Each structure stands twice: as structure tokens, then as C-alpha cells.
């Protein structure tokens, strides 16, 4: 050492500092490359030590964006360096404890629907290339979901209700261990000054989260509040969990977010993390700003002098009164244009619908999906029960044409159609009013155990009813109406369990607003005729195809495509066809019948289903022929022998899930189908 210093002395100054640098900074650099610091704080992410992938990016102001509002995106941002959790070696003082706080914001594309959410994640790997978006949040996929080999802990901020994972609602926080089905979850609320307040994740507000794990007590706690509110004393969610069973020695921390067909911008504004005690506070004033949906107008600050105080008081009171007036007006505001006058009788006032549905309360929600949310209501004037479908959309060209179609559909009268009573229009929102169907939709009876089984006679009557409704739409009314979305979930059951077709022609809304350069196929996988994807043109033939799939699902009690099923049974048409060729067509019938059905009728429905599923549109029977077969005409057996069958299967051989139908204007769910 002495020699070294002598040497240094004899050198000139620059050389000396260079040598110092090399000698003393190299070892610490090496250390930093292999192991993370015990803590880090990012008030904005410029220069942050992050690994980004997918749609994630850091804006020039330091804002971390995980996804934008494009469909089916995944974005990740993880701290580059692994954290040592010492799960195996002798316990250090705080071996598994950690503490973190971060601020996020979710700005959805549509004001009332968000998709799909963001998750704080501790993961054994940063490779999420095989993960799926939508409800998998970019963390897992359908084949590895739930495996204990995942070594994954996530705290999800979920803005969509996924029935697959038994989500409680579309605004919850959940703790996920190796699976997106949360071990515990709760709707989002926070407490301020002792009172519990609700908080909407997709409100576009910046929300601060605190997550702490105390290894001694094995307690994981999650607390959250809007950014302007101090940290609530009581955590929103806390649960006992032994993380030594989940974590490995070396783990990565970060965030994942994903969109589906319903999308949101997911932002992270700041993040602090610590393995030693409380995470350091974020400096909220330094956090980057993020784009909100509507820029609120900034009022110029008034420089109030003493003599002006009285004047400004008057102004303020005036402004408050005016604001209250505007808010009141806005609440019931609707859009009415001159051309709508002729539809006067079918026009409902928003105020009436608002009252009928208790202000569109969640308790009145009958269902969501398809084209929007459906609420139950009682009209104040007549005490009539109604169902109100609320469809959010962007600016739709051709609204005039669409409303005129709705008006003419209001004149359709058939005992197997759900009666459309009228409509109402607001900015970005269309409300359709229907007769209320007390028994909800057929799929609930067929595919879930929440409703009783329907016997064969009931199902056969439903098929006949829906066939006669389609015949009416195609042939018996003054103009041809194409339904475009025939399927079990669009068949509703009235008080006597008669099948009634709903949602007719609604898919047109999608067409009207769609970009003319892209052909968006509207419909649902398994029901979409092959030619529809080529031409984009819905016809009576495409309706017949969908009706074929519908008959098969009613007879077999399962959906046209079961991604999880046995390979030979995955596609219903293929399975029925193969079974028929082997002379065992009845084996495809719904096992819940336990053999109790009329064999001739069952055979007829299955074969007719196949006949309607032919890939050549003109080879399919017309609805008139279908009705005749159902009423006893003999089925031409020979047709089946020579037929070709088709079904739309996208994503052939591709690794990822594919989107078949999306729609740019409304909240239409797109449908995922796995490559075969
Ligand atoms: C979202 O980001 C992707 C690239 O990551 C880009 O291609 C797409 O246009 C963006 N979408 C929107 C709506 O900005
Ligand atoms: C799911 O992910 C795992 C590994 O991450 C991968 O091996 C598997 O092929 C993926 N499965 C699907 C269906 O994408």
C-alpha cells in the first residue's frame, strides 16, 4: 500500500485520478450489476433502471406508460436487477419483508368501461413473451395459469369482471398467487376522516398505493387512496400469506398491464421500493403529469385586492349557482335533432329511463357484454317492466340511418322476438328500450348450473320458436332484416320459457361507424360463416349458418368452440360430423338429458345443424326450408354425404390468441380463439 501511494504521488494529477477511479469504483460497479440496491425511489422514470417490453414506454416528462388504448396490448416495466429474497439460506432480519408505494392512473378509452387493468408483480422471470393480454393481464396464459411453478405474486387492480376467474366486479383489488384467480379480493374503496368512500379505478384519477409485507407476521397489506388524500390508517386489504412458499431466491419486481378489446391507457407516475423498513415517500409534486381524457379548462387566477373582495364573492356565488344548474341539466341532457321528429312516439326521455332504472344503479344491472350494459327498469308512468340497453359509442356517422332502422324495427311484431319499444340518444350513448324478459338468456340455462336444466320438449320448442322468428325477419316482413348475431346468449326466455330472439340488427351499429378501409367482421366465433370473413357482407345465409351452430349448441348443451375440450371435441361441428359418420351421432347429445329425448327429433336437429353449417352458402337450406324440416318434411339425407363444412378458425398454428372480431365504435367485446 505504501508503495502504491508513493507511486500515485509521483504521477501527474489526471493519471492519478484515473487510477483512483479504476481502483476504487470498479468493485462497487460490479456489485451493482449483479444485485439490486435495498431500495430505490423514482419520482418519474427518466433514467430509471427499468426493463420495458411490449407497449411500455417512458415519455420525455418521465411518465411511464404501460399500454395505450390499442386492442390486445401488453406492457411491462420491471426493475432491471433481481432482488435477493433469501428463501433458503438462514433467515436474515428482514429476509422476505418489503415495502413499496407507487402512483398509477388509468384513463379508459370509453368513459364507463375499462380494460383490463394493471398489476404490481413480483416474478421469478421477466420473460412474459408467452403471456396473454385481456384477463391474464400479460402475466400468464391459459395453460400455465395456476401452476405453483410460476413463482408469481401479483396485486391486481382489475377493471374488468372476468367470469373465468370469478371476479367480484369490474373495480377491485386482488391478491394473485401463481394464478389470475385471486386468493382474496375486494371492491376498491378508501377511508378519509373515518368515512369509507368509493373510488373508481378508471376514473382517470392518480391513485397512490402502499403495499407492505411483514415477514414476521406473514402479513401482506394493501392500502390505497387518491393522490391528494393522505394514506388511510386502515389497509383496504390485508391477508396472511407465507411468501416463502411463493418467492424464490432471486425475484424481479415491476408492473404489468394489458388491454382487451375494451382498452385503457395505464400509467405509472412514480415508484418507491424498499427491502429495509418503510419505502421512502414519493415527492408527489415532482411526479410527471399524464394526459387526461378531457382537458379541464383552467380558470385564470384572480388577483383579489381588498376593494374587489365583495365583487368576487358575488361572482363566486353566481358561478356556483350556474354550475349547479349546469350539472342538473347535464344529468338529464340528451341529444335530439330535427330529423328525429318523425320518431317521436318511439323516443323515450332520458329522465324517464334514469328514473326507471334508479339512475342506472348497479343493482339493476341485468348483464354486460355484447353491445353494452343492460339494466332492468320500471317505467314510472305505466309501471311496465322494461330492459334498457346502454350502448357507448364514439362519434358514429350514419346515426340517422341507424335510428331510422331502429324505428322500423320497433314495428316488427312476432311472438318470438323481443319487442323493441323505443330509444333515446345522448352524446356518445344510445339507449334501447325492450320488453323485460324475466327468465334472462338461454345460455344461462345451457352452460351454467345457476339455472335448472331444460328438458328436450322445452329446447325443441325454443329452437322452433327462434326459427320462426328468423323466417319472419328474412321472408315475412316488408323488408329483409338480417339478424347478424344469432346465438344462445341472444335468445331470451319469457315467463313461459318461450325462446325470443333479441338484439336484431344491432351489429349494424358497428358497421356504420367502422372505418370503410377495414372490414370488421361482426359476430361471434363459432357462429361466423366462412364467407363472412372474406366479404364482410352479412346475408340471410350467414344467419342460417349461425342458426345451425345455435341448434347444435342447444342439442349438445355446449358452445360451438371449447378451447379447453378434447382435441376431437373442440369444434362442435367437427365432432358432430365425425360422430355422424361413425353412426354415433346421438352420442353428442347433451348428457344432462340422460337419454330422455325423442330420438327422431334429436337426429333431425343435429343433422339440420350440420346442413346449415356447410361452407358453401347456397348449399345451406333457407329459413323457410329449415322451418319445413322442423315441421315434419323429410330431411334430404343425400345432401349431407357430399357436403363440405366450414368454420372460421383464425390463428391457425399461431402461438398467440387471435382476435376475430373487433369493432372500432362501440364497446363490443371481441372474441378470442386459440389457434388449433
Ligand atoms: C399504441 O402503441 C402502439 C405501439 O406500441 C402503436 O402501434 C399504436 O398505434 C398505439 N395506439 C394508439 C391508440 O395510440
Ligand atoms: C404459456 O406459457 C408457457 C410458459 O410461459 C409456455 O410454455 C406455453 O406454451 C404457453 N401456452 C400457450 C397456450 O400459449
Amino acid at each position: 500500500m505504501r508503495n502504491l501511494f508513493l507511486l500515485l504521488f509521483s504521477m501527474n494529477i489526471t493519471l492519478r485520478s484515473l487510477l483512483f477511479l479504476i481502483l476504487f469504483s470498479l468493485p462497487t460497479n460490479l456489485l451493482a450489476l449483479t444485485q439490486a440496491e435495498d431500495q430505490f425511489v423514482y419520482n418519474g422514470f427518466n433514467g430509471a433502471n427499468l426493463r420495458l417490453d411490449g407497449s411500455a414506454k417512458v415519455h420525455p416528462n418521465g411518465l411511464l406508460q404501460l399500454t395505450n388504448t390499442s386492442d390486445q396490448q401488453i406492457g411491462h416495466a420491471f426493475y432491471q436487477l433481481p432482488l435477493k429474497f433469501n428463501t433458503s439460506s438462514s433467515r436474515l432480519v428482514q429476509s422476505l419483508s418489503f415495502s413499496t408505494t407507487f402512483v398509477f392512473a388509468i384513463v379508459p378509452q370509453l368513459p364507463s368501461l375499462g380494460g383490463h387493468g394493471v398489476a404490481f408483480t413480483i416474478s421469478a422471470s421477466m420473460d412474459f413473451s408467452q403471456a396473454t393480454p385481456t384477463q391474464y393481464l400479460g402475466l400468464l396464459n391459459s395453460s400455465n395459469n395456476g401452476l405453483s411453478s410460476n413463482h408469481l405474486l401479483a396485486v391486481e387492480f382489475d377493471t374488468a369482471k372476468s367470469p373465468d376467474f370469478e371476479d367480484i366486479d369490474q373495480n377491485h383489488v386482488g391478491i394473485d398467487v401463481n394464478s389470475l384467480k385471486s386468493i382474496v379480493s375486494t371492491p376498491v374503496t378508501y377511508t378519509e376522516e373515518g368515512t369509507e368512500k368509493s373510488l373508481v379505478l378508471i376514473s382517470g384519477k392518480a391513485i397512490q398505493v402502499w403495499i407492505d409485507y411483514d415477514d414476521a407476521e406473514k402479513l401482506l397489506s394493501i392500502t390505497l387512496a387518491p393522490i391528494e388524500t393522505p394514506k388511510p390508517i386502515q389497509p383496504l386489504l390485508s391477508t396472511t400469506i407465507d411468501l416463502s412458499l411463493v418467492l424464490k431466491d432471486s425475484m424481479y419486481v415491476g408492473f404489468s398491464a394489458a388491454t382487451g378489446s375494451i382498452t385503457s391507457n395505464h400509467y405509472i407516475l412514480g415508484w418507491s421500493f424498499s427491502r429495509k423498513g418503510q419505502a421512502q415517500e414519493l415527492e408527489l409534486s415532482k411526479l410527471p403529469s399524464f394526459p387526461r381524457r378531457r382537458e379541464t379548462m383552467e380558470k385564470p387566477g384572480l388577483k383579489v385586492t381588498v376593494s374587489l373582495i365583495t365583487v368576487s364573492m358575488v361572482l363566486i356565488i353566481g358561478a356556483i349557482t350556474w354550475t349547479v344548474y349546469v350539472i342538473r341539466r347535464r344529468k338529464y341532457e340528451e341529444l335530439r335533432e330535427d330529423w328525429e321528429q318523425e320518431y317521436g312516439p318511439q323516443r323515450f326521455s332520458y329522465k324517464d329511463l334514469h328514473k326507471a332504472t334508479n339512475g342506472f344503479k348497479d343493482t339493476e344491472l341485468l348483464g354486460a357484454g355484447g353491445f353494452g350494459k343492460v339494466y332492468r327498469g320500471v317505467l314510472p308512468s305505466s309501471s311496465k317492466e322494461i330492459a334498457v340497453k346502454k350502448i357507448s359509442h364514439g362519434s358514429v356517422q350514419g346515426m340517422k340511418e341507424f335510428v331510422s332502422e331502429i324505428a322500423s324495427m320497433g314495428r316488427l311484431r312476432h311472438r318470438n322476438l323481443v319487442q323493441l319499444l323505443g330509444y333515446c340518444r345522448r352524446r356518445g350513448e344510445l339507449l334501447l328500450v325492450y320488453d323485460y324478459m324475466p327468465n334472462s338468456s338461454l345460455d344461462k340455462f345451457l352452460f351454467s348450473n345457476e339455472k335448472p336444466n331444460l328438458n328436450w320438449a322445452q329446447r325443441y320448442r325454443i329452437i322452433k320458436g327462434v326459427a320462426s322468428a328468423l323466417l319472419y325477419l328474412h321472408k315475412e316482413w316488408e323488408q329483409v332484416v338480417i339478424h347478424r348475431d344469432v346465438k344462445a346468449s341472444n335468445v331470451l326466455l319469457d315467463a313461459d320459457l318461450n325462446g325470443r330472439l333479441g338484439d336484431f340488427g344491432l351489429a349494424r351499429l358497428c358497421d356504420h361507424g367502422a372505418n370503410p378501409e377495414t372490414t370488421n367482421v361482426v359476430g361471434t366465433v363459432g357462429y361466423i360463416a366462412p364467407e363472412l370473413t372474406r366479404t364482410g357482407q352479412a346475408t340471410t345465409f350467414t344467419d342460417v349458418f349461425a342458426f345451425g351452430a345455435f341448434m347444435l349448441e342447444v342439442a349438445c348443451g355446449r358452445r360451438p368452440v371449447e378451447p379447453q375440450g378434447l382435441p376431437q371435441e373442440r369444434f362442435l361441428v367437427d365432432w358432430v360430423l365425425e360422430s355422424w359418420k361413425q353412426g354415433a351421432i346421438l352420442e353428442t347429445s347433451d348428457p344432462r338429458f340422460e337419454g330422455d329425448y325423442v330420438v327422431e327429433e334429436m337426429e333431425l336437429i343435429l343433422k339440420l345443424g350440420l346442413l346449415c353449417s356447410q361452407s358453401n352458402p347456397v348449399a345451406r337450406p333457407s329459413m323457410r326450408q329449415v322451418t319445413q324440416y322442423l315441421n315434419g318434411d323429410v330431411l334430404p339425407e343425400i345432401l349431407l354425404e357430399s357436403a363440405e363444412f366450414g368454420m372460421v378458425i383464425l390463428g391457425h398454428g399461431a402461438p398467440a390468441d387471435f382476435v376475430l372480431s373487433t369493432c372500432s365504435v362501440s364497446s363490443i367485446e371481441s372474441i378470442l380463439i386459440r389457434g388449433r
Side-chain angles (χ1 to χ4, degrees), residues 130 141 143-144 655 674:
Q130 300 296 315
N141 63 34
S143 55
N144 63 7
R674 181 166 312 289

Side-chain angles (χ1 to χ4, degrees), residues 54-55 68-70 73:
S55 52
N68 59 25
T69 54
S70 285
Q73 285 192 83

Side-chain angles (χ1 to χ4, degrees), residues 633-674:
D633 275 13
V634 178
L635 202 62
E637 194 78 27
I638 190 80
L639 282 181
L640 272 178
E641 302 282 359
S642 58
E644 274 186 34
F645 296 88
M647 179 190 258
V648 174
I649 296 153
L650 285 189
H652 214 89
D657 281 352
F658 263 71
V659 185
L660 182 56
S661 89
T662 60
C663 176
S664 53
V665 280
S666 75
S667 57
I668 290 170
E669 300 277 354
S670 66
I671 300 96
L672 295 176
I673 172 171
R674 181 166 312 289

Side-chain angles (χ1 to χ4, degrees), residues 270-321:
W271 181 23
S272 164
F273 183 93
S274 170
R275 296 286 323 282
K276 271 200 193 129
Q278 281 285 299
Q280 197 176 319
E281 291 288 329
L282 291 169
E283 290 182 57
L284 300 181
S285 61
K286 284 194 183 165
L287 298 185
S289 61
F290 60 99
R292 322 216 169 203
R293 190 171 31 250
R294 268 185 293 275
E295 291 300 334
T296 43
M297 287 237 289
E298 298 277 329
K299 291 208 181 73
L302 286 179
K303 288 211 177 104
V304 183
T305 63
V306 180
S307 61
L308 276 177
I309 285 179
T310 4
V311 179
S312 24
M313 285 290 277
V314 171
L315 281 179
I316 289 168
I317 291 170
I320 291 173
T321 327

